[in-house]
Amino acid sequence: MEMSPKEYQTYVKQKSPKSPLLKDVALAFVIGGLICVVGQAIQNGWSAAGLSEEDAGTATSCTLVLLSALLTGFNLYNKIARFGGAGTLVPITGFANAVISPAIDFKSEGFITGMAAKMFTVAGPVIVFGTLASVIYGIAVMLLQ
């Protein structure tokens, strides 16, 4: 059966399910916003505990990463992500999930060749780029002062 590219596109369009775009965007907004609200509440808690604003921000980031890792380990983060979509990917919690999920999936292959090697398959390039960019930025700031 020969199809032209235009006929194929028409065929695919007919067979593809329609995406509930408005619903998906709204859920991503709500879930992402809720993650941010939780983060703000955690930061307020750290500030109330006596940390400076900068230290409270650092402690908040660490706490959100820890919570995301725990929720991923208990397979709850994936359920939230199925519901909230991209709203769970953008915050720091999504990054922590991207590191932890492959480690859990490949733990049966061993500590080194499974968990440790696969843990950074998704997040590795981001970490390398971030580290390299921060080193270059640090050198530039040092040379300009």
Side-chain angles (χ1 to χ4, degrees), residues 6-128:
K6 188 173 184 175
E7 291 171 327
Y8 179 73
Q9 289 296 336
T10 304
Y11 175 75
V12 169
K13 201 172 197 177
Q14 289 172 349
K15 296 295 181 182
S16 297
K18 302 296 181 219
S19 176
L21 186 62
L22 187 61
K23 177 186 147 207
D24 290 347
V25 169
L27 285 173
F29 178 78
V30 168
I31 296 299
L34 286 174
I35 291 171
C36 293
V37 167
V38 168
Q40 186 63 52
I42 291 170
Q43 184 170 7
N44 292 347
W46 284 118
S47 293
L51 292 178
S52 69
E53 187 176 332
E54 185 176 340
D55 290 342
T58 302
T60 300
S61 295
C62 293
T63 304
L64 286 171
V65 167
L66 175 66
L67 288 174
S68 175
L70 289 173
L71 290 173
T72 300
F74 290 124
N75 200 29
L76 296 173
Y77 198 89
N78 292 334
K79 291 176 184 176
I80 296 168
R82 276 191 214 114
F83 180 73
T88 61
L89 298 177
V90 177
I92 193 170
T93 54
F95 183 74
N97 176 264
V99 173
I100 302 299
S101 289
I104 292 170
D105 291 343
F106 292 98
K107 71 180 177 185
S108 63
E109 294 182 20
F111 183 73
I112 300 297
T113 58
M115 189 175 78
K118 302 294 183 179
M119 188 179 338
F120 296 107
T121 54
V122 174
V126 175
I127 294 170
V128 169

